[in-house]
Amino acid sequence: MTENLYDVIGNVTIPRMIRVRQKFDDAEITDIEQAVRSELMRKEICSTLKPGMRIAIAAGSRGICHHKDIIRTVVSVLKEKGACPFIVPAMGSHGGATAEGQAEILASAQITESFVGCPIVSCMKTVKVGETSEGHSVHIDKNAYEADGIILIGKIKPHTAFRGKYESGMMKMMTIGLGKQYGAGICHQAGFKNMARLVPLFGNVILKQCNILFGLSVIENAYARTFMVKALTSREIPEEEPKLLEIARSKMGKILFDDIAVMAIDEIGKNYSGDGQDPNVTGRFITPYAANDVQIQKICVLDLSAETHGIMVGIGCVDVCTSRVFQQARLEESYINAITSTVFTGIHLPMILKNDYYAIAACIKTCNEVDLDRIRMVRIPNTLAIGEIYISESMMKDAVSNPCIEILGEPEEMSFDSSGNLIKKEAFWGSGN
């Protein structure tokens, strides 16, 4: 019966692909240590640091360019000021909602005690710090609460499941990240329909009841490189974070082609997006409370990132994946994330096929109202690094006429090994991402 499935898919022609560079604003910080130090030396920031203070540095699970270097620089500055810093994972239910799992996520980003120069204190215990005006209990990480002060380090970006004045950033990091699984679950219980209202509601309680010294916000450009670092005091966060969100929104990358029939994504993972694949790129949102105009008929995922540690959140947003994805998936740990967020869409299983060829072929074969011999297809490494992508030969005319597209090569076949998997996938991408 299994072979009959693959007979039905049949021998589908995979188009020749052309590597192109999408041209976005490439302004970036080249000396990250100097930029971070400059922000921390501002009077209103450095005045929050006193000798002998035991300071918790909140570090999240999202992939951030220079993340480990930013944290190490902050640690160095704190030590120079006579403070005693330590790292706490601020990532809600990620890492299977275990202290070990969250420390493992940091380690996979090379955020280790030996590299950053201070202890990493990971636990899932929380302390109730107050209640919102609507009666919600507000919790944060116990170790962070017991510190003399808390510093937030995180990326500002549009969220994948809701729109609001505050999306992914300092407010959400306090509410969901520092809230750990328990606190995040309380906020999520009302659903993403209410997240735009609840995130600042919870966040402002934390700002009032806890000693948040400052937040170091990171904004990346469309090439996932550091565009800006900005330190905000606890007083500045409510007013200034929305302005940073608008800057981040303006710097986001996207696929600069329309009428895409098939998208092949080399890998997804929570290091790339909270949803594994960023729907701001794919158009596959898990809730009706965020949307865009991206329309792609079929999407397949070929692998999970090593950094996602088997968490397959986002796989339910695509149409096909390989058996390799399923074999790596840690189902129960993925389900913890879904239960905490109350949204199951992202962990639904798509069609699972035995190799890369059939995953791509099934997507091509099942597209409607298109010329299958001239299929419009793109291939991306992930949804974070989309500076360089591959487009099918049929899209060359669009590429030539678009001043924001640079053609980097000639049309080439997608080469598969004897098992039907793409050859040299790791070396497929240039340095432009």
Side-chain angles (χ1 to χ4, degrees), residues 93-122:
S93 65
H94 300 178
T98 67
E100 298 77 15
Q102 296 200 345
E104 184 180 334
I105 287 174
L106 292 181
S108 69
Q110 299 178 50
I111 299 169
T112 60
E113 294 185 5
S114 60
F115 184 85
V116 300
C118 74
I120 294 174
V121 183
S122 183

Short mmCIF file of all heavy atoms in Angstrom, two decimals, residues 93-122:
data_model
loop_
_atom_site.label_atom_id
_atom_site.label_comp_id
_atom_site.label_asym_id
_atom_site.label_seq_id
_atom_site.Cartn_x
_atom_site.Cartn_y
_atom_site.Cartn_z
N SER A 93 7.33 28.21 28.37
CA SER A 93 7.26 26.75 28.46
C SER A 93 8.24 26.05 27.55
O SER A 93 8.21 24.83 27.42
CB SER A 93 5.84 26.28 28.10
OG SER A 93 5.54 26.58 26.75
N HIS A 94 9.12 26.80 26.90
CA HIS A 94 10.05 26.17 25.96
C HIS A 94 10.99 25.22 26.69
O HIS A 94 11.11 25.24 27.91
CB HIS A 94 10.83 27.23 25.20
CG HIS A 94 9.96 28.16 24.41
ND1 HIS A 94 10.46 29.22 23.69
CD2 HIS A 94 8.62 28.19 24.22
CE1 HIS A 94 9.46 29.86 23.10
NE2 HIS A 94 8.34 29.26 23.43
N GLY A 95 11.65 24.37 25.92
CA GLY A 95 12.55 23.40 26.52
C GLY A 95 11.81 22.32 27.28
O GLY A 95 12.33 21.75 28.25
N GLY A 96 10.57 22.03 26.83
CA GLY A 96 9.78 21.02 27.51
C GLY A 96 9.33 21.43 28.89
O GLY A 96 8.95 20.58 29.70
N ALA A 97 9.38 22.74 29.17
CA ALA A 97 8.99 23.27 30.49
C ALA A 97 9.78 22.62 31.62
O ALA A 97 9.26 22.36 32.69
CB ALA A 97 7.48 23.12 30.72
N THR A 98 11.07 22.38 31.37
CA THR A 98 11.95 21.86 32.42
C THR A 98 13.16 22.78 32.55
O THR A 98 13.58 23.42 31.58
CB THR A 98 12.45 20.43 32.11
OG1 THR A 98 13.33 20.47 30.98
CG2 THR A 98 11.29 19.49 31.85
N ALA A 99 13.72 22.81 33.76
CA ALA A 99 14.91 23.64 33.99
C ALA A 99 16.07 23.16 33.11
O ALA A 99 16.80 23.96 32.54
CB ALA A 99 15.30 23.57 35.46
N GLU A 100 16.21 21.84 33.00
CA GLU A 100 17.30 21.28 32.20
C GLU A 100 17.11 21.61 30.72
O GLU A 100 18.07 21.95 30.01
CB GLU A 100 17.37 19.76 32.38
CG GLU A 100 17.66 19.29 33.80
CD GLU A 100 16.47 19.37 34.73
OE1 GLU A 100 15.32 19.52 34.24
OE2 GLU A 100 16.67 19.30 35.96
N GLY A 101 15.87 21.50 30.25
CA GLY A 101 15.58 21.78 28.85
C GLY A 101 15.85 23.23 28.48
O GLY A 101 16.36 23.53 27.40
N GLN A 102 15.54 24.15 29.38
CA GLN A 102 15.76 25.57 29.09
C GLN A 102 17.25 25.91 29.13
O GLN A 102 17.73 26.69 28.30
CB GLN A 102 14.95 26.43 30.06
CG GLN A 102 13.45 26.23 29.89
CD GLN A 102 12.59 27.34 30.45
OE1 GLN A 102 13.05 28.17 31.22
NE2 GLN A 102 11.33 27.36 30.05
N ALA A 103 17.98 25.29 30.03
CA ALA A 103 19.44 25.49 30.05
C ALA A 103 20.06 24.91 28.78
O ALA A 103 21.02 25.47 28.23
CB ALA A 103 20.05 24.84 31.29
N GLU A 104 19.51 23.81 28.30
CA GLU A 104 20.01 23.18 27.08
C GLU A 104 19.81 24.10 25.86
O GLU A 104 20.66 24.18 24.98
CB GLU A 104 19.28 21.85 26.86
CG GLU A 104 19.76 21.04 25.68
CD GLU A 104 18.99 19.74 25.52
OE1 GLU A 104 18.46 19.23 26.53
OE2 GLU A 104 18.91 19.24 24.39
N ILE A 105 18.66 24.80 25.83
CA ILE A 105 18.41 25.73 24.73
C ILE A 105 19.44 26.85 24.74
O ILE A 105 19.98 27.23 23.69
CB ILE A 105 16.98 26.29 24.82
CG1 ILE A 105 15.96 25.21 24.42
CG2 ILE A 105 16.82 27.52 23.93
CD1 ILE A 105 14.52 25.62 24.60
N LEU A 106 19.75 27.38 25.91
CA LEU A 106 20.77 28.42 25.99
C LEU A 106 22.13 27.88 25.55
O LEU A 106 22.87 28.54 24.82
CB LEU A 106 20.86 28.98 27.41
CG LEU A 106 19.66 29.79 27.91
CD1 LEU A 106 19.93 30.30 29.33
CD2 LEU A 106 19.36 30.96 26.99
N ALA A 107 22.45 26.67 25.98
CA ALA A 107 23.73 26.07 25.63
C ALA A 107 23.86 25.88 24.12
O ALA A 107 24.95 26.04 23.56
CB ALA A 107 23.92 24.75 26.35
N SER A 108 22.75 25.55 23.47
CA SER A 108 22.79 25.34 22.02
C SER A 108 23.07 26.64 21.28
O SER A 108 23.51 26.63 20.13
CB SER A 108 21.48 24.72 21.53
OG SER A 108 20.41 25.64 21.63
N ALA A 109 22.80 27.77 21.95
CA ALA A 109 23.14 29.09 21.38
C ALA A 109 24.50 29.57 21.90
O ALA A 109 24.83 30.74 21.76
CB ALA A 109 22.05 30.10 21.74
N GLN A 110 25.26 28.65 22.51
CA GLN A 110 26.58 28.92 23.08
C GLN A 110 26.52 29.91 24.23
O GLN A 110 27.51 30.58 24.54
CB GLN A 110 27.55 29.40 22.00
CG GLN A 110 27.77 28.38 20.89
CD GLN A 110 28.70 28.89 19.81
OE1 GLN A 110 29.79 29.39 20.10
NE2 GLN A 110 28.29 28.78 18.57
N ILE A 111 25.35 30.01 24.84
CA ILE A 111 25.22 30.83 26.05
C ILE A 111 25.48 29.90 27.23
O ILE A 111 24.58 29.22 27.74
CB ILE A 111 23.83 31.49 26.13
CG1 ILE A 111 23.63 32.41 24.92
CG2 ILE A 111 23.69 32.29 27.43
CD1 ILE A 111 22.21 32.92 24.76
N THR A 112 26.74 29.80 27.60
CA THR A 112 27.18 28.90 28.67
C THR A 112 27.90 29.71 29.73
O THR A 112 28.36 30.84 29.48
CB THR A 112 28.13 27.83 28.12
OG1 THR A 112 29.29 28.48 27.56
CG2 THR A 112 27.45 26.99 27.05
N GLU A 113 28.04 29.14 30.91
CA GLU A 113 28.73 29.84 31.99
C GLU A 113 30.16 30.19 31.60
O GLU A 113 30.65 31.29 31.89
CB GLU A 113 28.70 28.99 33.27
CG GLU A 113 27.29 28.81 33.83
CD GLU A 113 27.26 28.08 35.16
OE1 GLU A 113 28.35 27.79 35.70
OE2 GLU A 113 26.15 27.83 35.68
N SER A 114 30.83 29.27 30.91
CA SER A 114 32.23 29.52 30.55
C SER A 114 32.35 30.63 29.52
O SER A 114 33.33 31.38 29.54
CB SER A 114 32.87 28.23 30.01
OG SER A 114 32.18 27.77 28.86
N PHE A 115 31.37 30.76 28.63
CA PHE A 115 31.48 31.79 27.60
C PHE A 115 31.06 33.16 28.12
O PHE A 115 31.76 34.15 27.90
CB PHE A 115 30.63 31.43 26.38
CG PHE A 115 30.79 32.42 25.25
CD1 PHE A 115 31.83 32.30 24.35
CD2 PHE A 115 29.93 33.51 25.11
CE1 PHE A 115 32.02 33.22 23.33
CE2 PHE A 115 30.10 34.44 24.10
CZ PHE A 115 31.14 34.29 23.20
N VAL A 116 29.90 33.23 28.78
CA VAL A 116 29.41 34.56 29.19
C VAL A 116 30.05 35.05 30.48
O VAL A 116 30.04 36.25 30.76
CB VAL A 116 27.87 34.58 29.34
CG1 VAL A 116 27.21 34.22 28.02
CG2 VAL A 116 27.39 33.65 30.45
N GLY A 117 30.62 34.13 31.28
CA GLY A 117 31.36 34.55 32.46
C GLY A 117 30.54 34.73 33.71
O GLY A 117 30.95 35.47 34.62
N CYS A 118 29.40 34.06 33.80
CA CYS A 118 28.60 34.11 35.03
C CYS A 118 27.73 32.87 35.11
O CYS A 118 27.55 32.16 34.12
CB CYS A 118 27.75 35.38 35.09
SG CYS A 118 26.32 35.38 33.99
N PRO A 119 27.16 32.58 36.29
CA PRO A 119 26.32 31.38 36.43
C PRO A 119 25.03 31.47 35.62
O PRO A 119 24.50 32.56 35.36
CB PRO A 119 26.01 31.35 37.94
CG PRO A 119 27.02 32.22 38.57
CD PRO A 119 27.36 33.28 37.57
N ILE A 120 24.54 30.30 35.22
CA ILE A 120 23.21 30.19 34.63
C ILE A 120 22.35 29.45 35.64
O ILE A 120 22.65 28.32 36.02
CB ILE A 120 23.25 29.44 33.29
CG1 ILE A 120 24.02 30.28 32.26
CG2 ILE A 120 21.84 29.14 32.79
CD1 ILE A 120 24.26 29.60 30.94
N VAL A 121 21.29 30.10 36.09
CA VAL A 121 20.44 29.55 37.14
C VAL A 121 19.06 29.27 36.54
O VAL A 121 18.27 30.20 36.31
CB VAL A 121 20.32 30.51 38.34
CG1 VAL A 121 19.49 29.87 39.45
CG2 VAL A 121 21.71 30.89 38.85
N SER A 122 18.82 28.02 36.27
CA SER A 122 17.58 27.64 35.57
C SER A 122 16.65 26.87 36.47
O SER A 122 17.03 25.86 37.08
CB SER A 122 17.92 26.79 34.34
OG SER A 122 16.77 26.47 33.60
#
